[in-house]
Amino acid sequence: MINVQSISVSFGGLQALRNVDAVIKDPVVGIIGPNGAGKTTLLNVFSGFAQPEAGQLQAFGTNLLEMAPHERARWGLRRSFQTEQVVDDLSVADNVLVMLDPLPLSRAQKERCTADALAFVGLEGKADIAPQTLNTFERRMVELAKTLAGKPKLVLLDEPGAGLGEPEVAQLERIIKDIPRRFSAMTILIDHDVELIVATCASTLVLDFGMLIAHGPTA
């Protein structure tokens, strides 16, 4: 369970989040709202890239706000970004493997976690190739594999469906829905594709002008 209590974030004179309160329990939870509503800012609070001036944030009994970003990653927080973070100078496997550097795992364990994550997203046969040869969907799957390697507790996905066609979004939907079963990780999903949110998220938060205006069953 994740408990968000009175989270507020300001950037100069702009209040990006205003007293956001939510108890998040479902395996896959959506966040929707127009551009500038505060969706990514909320994920940045989870990640440690934005510091709230007020509020508390606890995930599974752990106070995330007391931890630096790298400590949250070691704890089990993973995220993807709106801007793609695939490194073309590394192989597909090494893009995932580097995410495991902070974790106390042996080389063999890290390689096994990497192989499992790539197989889950359908890239098991492309581990050793250069990312430049991948299409847009496959590069998105590299991003997703990076968030799933190493037994994550909380996976944050920021618009993973952006730029994808309908068949690719359908495949992404199946993968996201299977994350809790396969990795025992809670997933929080931001996307402007409301059909993807409806298909994958049991509950959804709606933000507008930094305020939580609705939270409940997605339907």
Side-chain angles (χ1 to χ4, degrees):
M1 183 177 74
I2 296 173
N3 195 356
V4 181
Q5 295 182 330
S6 301
I7 291 291
S8 295
V9 177
S10 295
F11 302 109
L14 172 67
Q15 184 133 37
L17 293 174
R18 309 182 189 192
N19 297 314
V20 174
D21 285 291
V23 176
I24 301 172
K25 297 180 179 179
D26 291 306
V28 185
V29 176
I31 303 178
I32 62 174
N35 290 332
K39 303 183 299 297
T40 295
T41 299
L42 184 56
L43 290 199
N44 286 341
V45 171
F46 275 93
S47 306
F49 302 143
Q51 294 299 319
E53 66 253 26
Q56 299 182 33
L57 176 60
Q58 292 194 337
F60 315 117
T62 297
N63 185 347
L64 293 183
L65 297 184
E66 292 181 344
M67 305 165 70
H70 71 278
E71 293 172 326
R72 300 183 202 195
R74 191 177 296 123
W75 170 83
L77 187 148
R78 305 282 189 276
R79 74 167 291 180
S80 67
F81 295 84
Q82 292 178 14
T83 303
E84 183 188 287
Q85 304 289 312
V86 177
V87 180
D88 286 331
D89 292 338
L90 300 177
S91 69
V92 168
D94 283 344
N95 264 276
V96 179
L97 192 61
V98 73
M99 304 301 293
L100 302 176
D101 280 349
L103 304 185
L105 301 173
S106 68
R107 177 72 182 189
Q109 288 173 318
K110 291 178 180 179
E111 289 177 348
R112 186 161 54 249
C113 288
T114 296
D116 287 347
L118 289 175
F120 180 73
V121 300
L123 294 178
E124 62 269 33
K126 301 190 176 185
D128 298 324
I129 68 174
Q132 297 97 316
T133 65
L134 302 179
N135 61 36
T136 299
F137 176 71
E138 291 169 330
R139 291 176 72 91
R140 289 279 182 181
M141 292 304 97
V142 175
E143 285 275 276
L144 187 54
K146 289 165 61 178
T147 72
L148 297 174
K151 298 182 179 179
K153 294 184 179 75
L154 177 60
V155 175
L156 311 175
L157 303 178
D158 197 350
E159 298 191 30
L164 301 183
E166 187 173 332
E168 296 165 332
V169 171
Q171 189 172 345
L172 175 64
E173 172 191 321
R174 290 192 294 271
I175 290 171
I176 292 173
K177 289 168 70 174
D178 207 29
I179 289 174
R181 182 197 63 81
R182 178 65 177 78
F183 295 93
S184 300
M186 178 182 282
T187 301
I188 297 178
L189 169 66
I190 293 175
D191 212 284
H192 286 289
D193 185 342
V194 177
E195 292 183 3
L196 176 63
I197 295 289
V198 170
T200 57
C201 301
S203 61
T204 296
L205 290 77
V206 186
L207 293 173
D208 193 24
F209 290 106
M211 294 184 293
L212 183 67
I213 61 172
H215 177 207
T218 303

